[in-house]
Structures are given as C-alpha cells and as structure tokens.
Amino acid sequence: MDKLKKLPPKREKVETLKILRQLSKTSQSLGELKGIAKTIPNQAMLINAVVLQEAKDSSEIENIITTQDELYKALATKGKQPTQVKEVINYRKAIFTGFDLIQKQGFLRIKDIENIQKTIIKNNAGIRAMAGTVLKNDRTGEYVFKWRFKFI
C-alpha cells in the first residue's frame, strides 16, 4: 500500500520553473475565459449545462444511463420521471449543494459530504468504510477510482 505524503507539499516541490510557467499560461487563459464569459447574457445557462453534463457522465460510471434530451425534459416538466433520470437530476442537485456549502463555509465537513450523498441516493448509507473499494467503468473496464484505505 502506498503511503500518502503529508500536505501541504514542500514549497520547492511545487514552485518549479515548469509549474510557474504553466501557471502563467493558465492564468492568461482563465482571464480570456472570464472575458468571454461576460459576453454571455445568462452565465447560469452555461454553468447549468456543464453541471448537468458532469452529473450525466459521472452517473454512467455506475451504469445509470440517460440522454441529454431526457434530462432537459425532466428539468422543464414536473411529471413522473424514469429512475435513471431522477438519479442524474439528484446528482446535479448534490453538486450545487456542495458548491453552495463551500461558498458559505469555505470547506466541507464529513457531515456535509454525508448529506450531499443522501441527496443523490436517498438513504443514510454514509461513507464507505470497507478497504479496497473500486469504481470501474463496465463498458471500458477502466478503473475510475481505487480506494485502498479505510476511514477510521
């Protein structure tokens, strides 16, 4: 088992010439993006689209498959929705809940993470305590996440 190094990393490890050059390029790109974003009349539409896409893609990891059309229809109507659509919508709500908490508090507590998780799957399962938890894409066989330690 690999041992995690203590945070934060030593300054000389992260303030290398290569990293500082990339930081400069990244900062410039973010400035350009910020300027372009200001030309969008309703920036919330862009944010909502990105968050919905993230919720859809992340849900696919757990074999919850839906389409953009189904998701936008569900958001536009109040009718009965298929289970997989509801789960992706819940995932989207959880992302915004976490974002709002970070904006308000500046951090997330374990209790916050458990409440966010409840938003997605509507139960009190809490954080997985079993060592060796793996998330794997069933279509590609690619490991998305391997968790080799356990919370105490």
Side-chain angles (χ1 to χ4, degrees):
M1 187 183 313
D2 297 332
K3 189 171 182 176
L4 294 174
K5 294 187 171 119
K6 293 189 179 203
L7 293 175
K10 293 187 188 294
R11 188 177 215 171
E12 59 271 9
K13 295 279 187 184
V14 293
E15 289 187 2
T16 66
L17 187 57
K18 182 179 179 182
I19 289 175
L20 292 174
R21 283 185 179 148
Q22 185 59 50
L23 178 62
S24 176
K25 289 179 192 176
T26 303
S27 182
Q28 180 181 351
S29 295
L30 283 171
E32 290 173 14
L33 180 60
K34 187 175 179 182
I36 291 168
K38 287 184 179 187
T39 66
I40 299 171
N42 184 353
Q43 292 179 23
M45 284 180 60
L46 177 62
I47 299 300
N48 278 316
V50 169
V51 170
L52 190 61
Q53 184 66 46
E54 166 59 25
K56 179 185 167 297
D57 292 347
S58 293
S59 296
E60 281 184 14
I61 293 168
E62 298 196 27
N63 276 338
I64 298 167
I65 312 296
T66 188
T67 66
Q68 295 288 51
D69 281 350
E70 289 174 319
L71 294 172
Y72 284 113
K73 283 178 190 171
L75 289 171
T77 63
K78 298 290 183 202
K80 189 167 166 50
Q81 302 155 353
T83 302
Q84 68 272 19
V85 171
K86 277 192 245 181
E87 288 201 35
V88 174
I89 299 296
N90 289 342
Y91 196 110
R92 173 184 170 269
K93 182 179 177 187
I95 291 171
F96 281 120
T97 299
F99 179 77
D100 291 343
L101 283 167
I102 290 171
Q103 290 287 93
K104 188 170 85 178
Q105 300 172 174
F107 59 90
L108 291 175
R109 299 175 301 226
I110 296 290
K111 194 75 178 153
D112 296 330
I113 293 169
E114 289 172 342
N115 286 330
I116 290 168
Q117 182 257 353
K118 240 189 269 186
T119 302
I120 299 170
I121 60 173
K122 304 292 183 201
N123 72 30
N124 294 320
I127 296 173
R128 292 178 180 150
M130 181 175 48
T133 301
V134 174
L135 292 179
K136 186 168 114 177
N137 185 319
D138 288 339
R139 271 189 303 156
T140 66
E142 175 187 9
Y143 286 100
V144 178
F145 181 76
K146 285 186 179 182
W147 190 350
R148 295 178 12 194
F149 57 91
K150 103 183 220 183
F151 283 101
I152 298 174

